[in-house]
Amino acid sequence: MCGIIGYCGGRAARPLLLDGLKRLEYRGYDSAGLAVADGGRLNVVRAVGKVSDLEKKGIERPLPGHCGIAHTRWATHGRPSEANAHPHLDCRERVAVVHNGIIENYLELKQELQAKGHAFRSETDSEVVAHLIEECFAGDLEKAVRLAVLRLEGTFGLAVMHADAPEQVVAARRGSPIILGLGEGEFFAASDANALLPYTQKVISLNDDEMAVLSPGGYHIKNLNDEFLQKEIEIREGRGEEADKKGFEHYMLKEIFEQPEAIENACRGRLLESEGVSKLGGLEPVLERLKNLKRLVIVSCGTSYYAGLCGRYIFESLCELHVEVEVASEFRYRRLKLDADTAVLALSQSGETADTLAAIREAKRKGALILGVVNVVGSAIAQVTDAGVYNHAGPEFGVASTKIYTSQLVVLTLMALLIGRYQGLSFTEGSAVIQALKRLPRQVKGILTDIEHIKDIAQRYARYQDFLFIGRQHNYPTAMEGALKLKEISYIHAEGYPAGEMKHGPISLIDAEFPTVAIVTQDATADKMLSNIQEIKARNGRVLAVASQGDGRITEVCDDVIRVPETLPILQPVLNIVPLQLFAYFIARSKGRDIDKPRNLAKSVTVE
Ligand code: AGP
């Protein structure tokens, strides 16, 4: 969703801010803006649309200022418009604020400020912060931001400038990430490390209710009690070069092709073959509790939720656990009893998803052990969990998640293997899982070589308006995820269903114009799947099957078939989703969609 970048140093701020914004584009946004200190005033430019539209504005003269803040906005309060784009200004245009998150008490604050004579220009909650800082300002920006922040309820990542302090950027956070980048004589503040990494790998993550003051000469960090804090400097890997598409037309395609490597990275150093078990350093502090775990509740959203649904079958198959999977945004409405024998596991690519974060905070309050599987190192969810495992899959820029989904399935298998070996799983069974995990990267590579066949099929199916995806057991989540991929990026209506549910309603939709994608790889449910396919064919429905390489029967009954290799049933979803990712990709491409940044979607969903 929204993105922030701030800069203070010796170089011209504007090009650096624009470059930072471009590196945040993948998060999803609808407008952008920046403010640069410019000879005793703030030069502010905003534009609806892309960062490239912002770049074209305000270039009549080069801006000399070397301190500035910038923002990409994903509309929450108020439609996408120049007036609603950030930075927001106070009445006298001396204060500029960029904000991620939601100010929950903004109406109350707005009324109070309006009563004091403040005039508002936008429909946003964020503008209230600029006026509040104006109200608190008496010559010291840091103090004014602190006093203002103390009045805010909700979530915020903020970067603030004042025309009277042109060499300062003040940043603050509560519930929305702010990362500082420490260069040589230059300092950055950003909501996402991707914006900083080309300039510095030295970073500091602010915690909630912490503030930082940056200037070209240095930086300091304080808490809201005005006390100085010494924080550890982390060295982040990479220089943001992953943001290069490496010759692929889209990030999504590149990330689909990165899956063999992402699976290898998830397993690297984590397979103890001699013991038939996995080794997960991040879970070692809570190993004793995991050994005796009775119940696991998985919470997540979207694609990560479907990974959680697969996780239920994985944990049930390898462990003696009662497993529940809950959409994170619904978790708080359940009256769940969570005790010390229960772990709540958050799955999140970004580690920033507000619904997932809220769910685990709720679970923590109730005393459960909180675990996480997160891709973004140091992200908010990673900080809240008691223990967890990183995917190490590298950044994912395509809004439609691909490599993290398969990586999540692999990490869940590693976790289940670890717990399962304490709960009765034999060495032989554990070894079989390890061998199957080791074969996966090569098997995924094999599927990727079938790209032309999948592309051809996708082009033939691109004309349909509606799709049904069906699967049973492990492949029921695959059907849901396959449908989500298609609708996200092609804007075609698609529904994922457990195949057995079809005759309880959706079958009434079937006709020659409503095709079905059936995930029917060889397992205990294959015969029942074949019966379901026959039922569709009997109603004139067209069927595309994802089927096992050796299955001769399937060509008799289906119109088109994509073949995948066989693995253990718990890992089969890792292979089965790959052709469906490509299927969605090529349909979206043939329709000319904005595949990496589909309309209305954001990569990190930081509002509830
Ligand atoms: C995936 O294709 C989606 N863009 C979306 O459903 C995503 O998986 C969801 O918002 C959860 O995100 P997270 O994994 O970062 O928590």
Side-chain angles (χ1 to χ4, degrees):
M1 282 186 160
C2 306
I4 289 177
I5 172 87
Y7 174 78
C8 263
R11 296 193 262 177
R14 189 175 182 278
L16 287 170
L17 295 174
L18 287 167
D19 181 60
L21 289 185
K22 284 180 190 159
R23 291 172 193 281
L24 296 173
E25 280 190 300
Y26 79 98
R27 297 169 65 91
Y29 70 106
D30 45 55
S31 51
L34 58 81
V36 174
D38 184 16
R41 57 185 281 272
L42 298 176
N43 193 311
V44 179
V45 192
R46 303 186 199 93
V48 175
K50 302 287 178 197
V51 174
S52 53
D53 298 312
L54 177 71
E55 201 165 13
K56 285 178 210 138
K57 291 184 86 175
I59 47 171
E60 307 80 46
R61 66 188 179 91
L63 279 183
H66 48 257
C67 288
I69 55 177
H71 190 259
T72 47
R73 172 177 188 254
W74 189 86
T76 57
H77 295 60
R79 70 207 152 81
S81 69
E82 258 187 64
N84 289 334
H86 301 215
H88 289 289
L89 304 174
D90 65 328
C91 298
R92 295 184 313 124
E93 304 192 353
R94 306 296 289 166
V95 181
V97 170
V98 293
H99 165 231
N100 285 359
I102 290 187
I103 307 298
E104 284 166 6
N105 59 339
Y106 87 99
L107 275 177
E108 185 187 316
L109 291 169
K110 188 169 176 177
Q111 281 164 6
E112 178 189 318
L113 290 158
Q114 279 171 327
K116 289 182 176 168
H118 289 261
F120 283 74
R121 303 177 188 92
S122 77
E123 304 159 282
T124 66
D125 55 328
S126 309
E127 189 184 349
V128 82
V129 184
H131 293 278
L132 201 53
I133 293 170
E134 177 182 26
E135 195 61 30
C136 299
F137 185 77
D140 179 349
L141 180 60
E142 178 188 333
K143 186 174 176 191
V145 173
R146 180 164 43 83
L147 294 176
V149 156
L150 286 167
R151 301 273 331 267
L152 301 179
E153 287 167 22
T155 55
F156 51 82
L158 292 170
V160 183
M161 292 194 75
H162 197 293
D164 291 355
E167 302 246 302
Q168 253 186 19
V169 169
V170 180
R173 82 157 263 179
R174 183 185 296 153
S176 191
I178 290 286
I179 293 154
L180 308 182
L182 317 177
E184 294 299 321
E186 57 182 9
F187 301 91
F188 300 80
S191 54
D192 179 327
N194 288 306
L196 313 170
L197 289 177
Y199 304 105
T200 178
Q201 284 84 58
K202 283 195 213 164
V203 303
I204 294 179
S205 301
L206 289 191
N207 288 332
D208 282 350
D209 292 326
E210 292 179 353
M211 301 176 45
V213 180
L214 314 180
S215 67
Y219 72 96
H220 63 258
I221 301 171
K222 286 186 176 175
N223 60 23
L224 295 186
N225 295 327
D226 203 23
E227 293 159 341
F228 284 99
L229 302 174
Q230 290 300 327
K231 291 184 63 98
E232 202 182 320
I233 300 174
E234 303 160 48
I235 307 294
R236 290 281 171 96
E237 283 173 18
R239 299 186 63 87
E241 59 271 4
E242 302 90 341
D244 180 355
K245 291 194 197 117
K246 304 244 166 79
F248 286 92
E249 195 176 339
H250 295 97
Y251 284 120
M252 182 180 175
L253 190 61
K254 174 180 171 252
E255 286 154 8
I256 290 172
F257 273 80
E258 282 173 348
Q259 290 181 107
E261 195 186 336
I263 293 168
E264 269 167 17
N265 288 344
C267 293
R268 181 159 293 120
R270 291 170 167 175
L271 300 177
L272 259 186
E273 286 193 70
S274 58
E275 305 289 327
V277 72
S278 55
K279 182 176 165 54
L280 298 167
L283 296 184
E284 262 157 34
V286 296
L287 211 48
E288 287 309 311
R289 283 183 78 178
L290 292 182
K291 286 179 188 173
N292 302 311
L293 203 65
K294 305 267 181 312
R295 181 170 163 228
L296 181 69
V297 182
I298 304 177
V299 290
S300 43
C301 302
T303 288
S304 295
Y305 171 66
Y306 299 139
L309 288 179
C310 283
R312 176 164 58 196
Y313 295 104
I314 298 170
F315 280 101
E316 283 177 354
S317 159
L318 303 183
C319 310
E320 297 295 322
L321 281 179
H322 171 79
V323 188
E324 294 157 54
V325 190
E326 191 76 43
V327 169
S329 55
E330 288 295 314
F331 181 79
R332 73 184 59 179
Y333 309 125
R334 300 281 310 280
R335 202 164 176 277
L336 283 180
K337 265 184 79 184
L338 302 171
D339 53 26
D341 292 338
T342 304
V344 172
L345 168 59
L347 297 182
S348 178
Q349 183 283 130
S350 61
E352 283 184 36
T353 305
D355 289 319
T356 309
L357 203 48
I360 54 175
R361 286 199 170 119
E362 179 72 17
K364 203 161 205 170
R365 197 171 298 127
K366 292 183 173 157
L369 173 69
I370 311 295
L371 306 174
V373 174
V374 170
N375 190 45
V376 177
V377 175
S379 54
I381 291 176
Q383 288 178 24
V384 172
T385 52
D386 297 311
V389 184
Y390 282 120
N391 294 90
H392 294 309
E396 188 179 65
F397 292 100
V399 162
S401 185
T402 52
K403 66 173 177 175
I404 304 300
Y405 177 69
T406 45
S407 166
Q408 284 170 335
L409 301 186
V410 168
V411 172
L412 288 171
T413 307
L414 295 172
M415 288 177 81
L417 181 59
L418 177 74
I419 299 171
R421 289 285 282 124
Y422 290 114
Q423 297 188 341
L425 193 76
S426 72
F427 168 77
T428 320
E429 289 166 318
S431 298
V433 174
I434 290 180
Q435 293 314 316
L437 284 167
K438 286 177 69 180
R439 281 193 298 274
L440 279 180
R442 201 168 7 94
Q443 290 178 311
V444 173
K445 274 185 197 158
I447 298 168
L448 294 171
T449 59
D450 200 22
I451 186 166
E452 287 305 320
H453 171 56
I454 299 168
K455 182 177 173 182
D456 175 56
I457 290 180
Q459 279 163 352
R460 284 190 276 118
Y461 278 77
R463 70 176 186 84
Y464 293 103
Q465 301 296 314
D466 308 276
F467 281 82
L468 183 65
F469 285 67
I470 55 169
R472 283 176 182 259
Q473 203 189 14
H474 308 97
N475 284 314
Y476 147 48
T478 310
M480 311 277 275
E481 172 61 4
L484 180 70
K485 284 289 87 75
L486 184 61
K487 65 186 132 188
E488 270 189 302
I489 59 168
S490 70
Y491 318 149
I492 289 173
H493 167 232
E495 295 193 46
Y497 254 89
E501 273 291 290
M502 201 185 58
K503 56 192 170 297
H504 299 288
I507 200 164
S508 68
L509 298 167
I510 299 295
D511 63 20
E513 289 305 305
F514 196 124
T516 299
V517 179
I519 299 108
V520 61
T521 37
Q522 284 306 303
D523 58 26
T525 69
D527 287 346
K528 286 199 166 58
M529 280 298 297
L530 270 181
S531 305
N532 295 135
I533 292 170
Q534 299 283 13
E535 287 156 12
I536 295 166
K537 291 308 301 170
R539 284 154 186 87
N540 224 6
R542 187 168 172 175
V543 179
L544 162 64
V546 174
S548 299
Q549 264 152 5
D551 185 352
R553 299 177 299 176
I554 205 75
T555 31
E556 308 287 315
V557 281
C558 296
D559 299 277
D560 296 283
V561 182
I562 299 171
R563 300 285 179 176
V564 291
E566 280 186 62
T567 179
L568 295 178
I570 53 166
L571 289 171
Q572 196 66 51
V574 176
L575 302 178
N576 293 356
I577 195 61
V578 177
L580 299 181
Q581 296 167 343
L582 288 169
F583 180 70
Y585 172 82
F586 284 116
I587 288 186
R589 186 172 172 270
S590 73
K591 291 185 161 303
R593 304 298 192 218
D594 190 354
I595 291 179
D596 286 331
K597 296 191 274 294
R599 68 184 182 200
N600 304 336
L601 289 176
K603 184 66 183 161
S604 298
V605 185
T606 51
V607 293
E608 288 177 44

